[in-house]
Amino acid sequence: MSHHPTDEAATPNLSFEGSTPYEDYVQASVLTHLQHPLSDEPGEMAFLVTTQVMELWFTLLVHEWTTAARALRQDDLPTAMAALHRSLPELEALNGSWKPIAHLTPGQFNAYRSALGEGSGFQSAMYRHVEFLLGEKSASMLVPHRGTPRAHAELEKALSEPSLYDEVLRLLDRRGYRIPADVLDRDLTQHYEPHPEVERAWQRVYAADDQDSDLMRLGETLTDIAEYVWRWRNDHLVATRRAMGAKVGTGGSAGVAWLEKRATKNVFPELWTARSHV
């Protein structure tokens, strides 16, 4: 005779003192009350939630890549690789965040564009932190955040610290793949520029007999990240083109022209160019 659980046993606990444990942990009521549309256009809510979700993904990527950079500094490649691998589906989900707003017509976007005022995505402190970790450094990008001391301090710190790629190159050098001193000792507040000796170091990693070496796996994971970043920039470009053509971007940014320039550049550049020589 089969046993049937009682109704009581099958019913989850529904009675709590105060808020639920789920609410205490996730803070759902905070997240779901952070949307304050400024127009009467129903589609503005989709734009607002989508951009807020992107901010959460940026926050998670900063966490993962900071974890990876710290581990690389300590020669702990397994911990670094775990964090980098976690970031791959997170990047895929971030890129998927474009879907709700990727096909806006100019009319749909214009219906609430004025609500953005001077607001623009390039003012996102967390996205800027993501870019700094990728080696896309620029001191001028701190300027919009002078009025928010906490964000400014975090970005100032990230600007002056080694990027994720800087830590990778230092690891390569410690492993015997010579990286020039002018790369290792560069001004960390400056944008990373590709170097022929770094390209040769990656060429040696990829030309090694051991096709399953931990450094080659690191290179391939970084290439995956770079590809997702490239796709992110292209998706941003296409969505902007559809919504507003070649008009000046919000906040006075160059809009499509600036995004087109960004979309042609790869992060971790020598990982791409070294392949031509293997």
Side-chain angles (χ1 to χ4, degrees), residues 15 38 75 107-108 120 147 272:
S15 179
L38 297 176
D75 288 301
Q108 289 167 334
S120 172
W272 297 93

Side-chain angles (χ1 to χ4, degrees), residues 118-144:
E118 291 291 303
S120 172
F122 83 87
Q123 298 161 9
S124 163
M126 206 53 81
Y127 178 66
R128 192 57 47 203
H129 201 150
V130 165
E131 292 269 316
F132 283 3
L133 280 166
L134 292 170
E136 306 276 322
K137 303 281 191 77
S138 171
S140 65
M141 288 301 182
L142 294 178
V143 174

Side-chain angles (χ1 to χ4, degrees), residues 100-174:
I101 59 171
H103 297 94
L104 288 173
T105 66
Q108 289 167 334
F109 184 52
N110 288 338
Y112 55 79
R113 188 186 181 197
S114 62
L116 284 165
E118 291 291 303
S120 172
F122 83 87
Q123 298 161 9
S124 163
M126 206 53 81
Y127 178 66
R128 192 57 47 203
H129 201 150
V130 165
E131 292 269 316
F132 283 3
L133 280 166
L134 292 170
E136 306 276 322
K137 303 281 191 77
S138 171
S140 65
M141 288 301 182
L142 294 178
V143 174
H145 307 287
R146 285 178 302 190
T148 47
R150 181 178 164 183
H152 189 274
E154 287 176 1
L155 284 177
E156 202 166 35
K157 184 169 181 282
L159 182 74
S160 60
E161 286 182 339
S163 70
L164 173 61
Y165 196 49
D166 288 319
E167 295 293 3
V168 168
L169 297 184
R170 291 175 181 194
L171 176 73
L172 286 186
D173 189 66
R174 293 195 298 274

Side-chain angles (χ1 to χ4, degrees), residues 11-30:
T11 304
N13 182 17
L14 299 176
S15 179
F16 300 100
E17 294 292 327
S19 62
T20 66
Y22 175 83
E23 171 58 35
D24 293 341
Y25 183 65
V26 177
Q27 299 283 294
S29 65
V30 176

Side-chain angles (χ1 to χ4, degrees), residues 68 71-72 75-86 175 214 217:
L72 288 167
D75 288 301
D76 182 358
L77 194 49
T79 297
M81 287 294 285
L84 295 174
H85 276 299
R86 283 195 303 270
R175 290 285 196 93
D214 56 357
R217 285 199 300 272

Side-chain angles (χ1 to χ4, degrees), residues 60-265:
L60 183 52
L61 290 170
V62 167
H63 168 74
E64 303 289 27
W65 294 344
T66 303
T67 300
R70 189 184 310 121
L72 288 167
R73 202 173 305 139
Q74 297 164 352
D75 288 301
D76 182 358
L77 194 49
T79 297
M81 287 294 285
L84 295 174
H85 276 299
R86 283 195 303 270
S87 78
L88 296 178
E90 293 159 8
L91 279 161
E92 189 173 13
L94 167 66
N95 289 4
S97 304
W98 282 115
K99 287 183 176 163
I101 59 171
H103 297 94
L104 288 173
T105 66
Q108 289 167 334
F109 184 52
N110 288 338
Y112 55 79
R113 188 186 181 197
S114 62
L116 284 165
E118 291 291 303
S120 172
F122 83 87
Q123 298 161 9
S124 163
M126 206 53 81
Y127 178 66
R128 192 57 47 203
H129 201 150
V130 165
E131 292 269 316
F132 283 3
L133 280 166
L134 292 170
E136 306 276 322
K137 303 281 191 77
S138 171
S140 65
M141 288 301 182
L142 294 178
V143 174
H145 307 287
R146 285 178 302 190
T148 47
R150 181 178 164 183
H152 189 274
E154 287 176 1
L155 284 177
E156 202 166 35
K157 184 169 181 282
L159 182 74
S160 60
E161 286 182 339
S163 70
L164 173 61
Y165 196 49
D166 288 319
E167 295 293 3
V168 168
L169 297 184
R170 291 175 181 194
L171 176 73
L172 286 186
D173 189 66
R174 293 195 298 274
R175 290 285 196 93
Y177 294 86
R178 199 182 71 78
I179 303 296
D182 58 337
V183 174
L184 296 175
D185 303 328
R186 73 186 189 86
D187 180 353
L188 295 173
T189 66
Q190 298 297 308
H191 184 279
Y192 179 81
E193 295 294 342
H195 194 290
E197 288 299 321
V198 174
E199 183 184 281
R200 275 189 275 278
W202 281 119
Q203 187 181 336
R204 285 177 57 210
V205 169
Y206 275 82
D209 290 336
D210 181 7
Q211 292 294 300
D212 194 36
S213 75
D214 56 357
L215 291 180
M216 190 187 294
R217 285 199 300 272
L218 173 61
E220 285 298 276
T221 304
L222 292 171
T223 306
D224 287 337
I225 288 171
E227 184 176 327
Y228 277 122
V229 171
W230 179 79
R231 291 182 188 282
W232 157 266
R233 290 174 176 174
N234 274 278
D235 287 351
H236 189 181
L237 169 62
V238 173
T240 305
R241 225 184 227 150
R242 287 189 72 138
M244 53 181 275
K247 285 189 291 211
V248 173
T250 52
S253 63
V256 164
W258 186 78
L259 294 173
E260 281 176 336
K261 187 178 171 187
R262 301 285 290 154
T264 61
K265 294 184 178 178

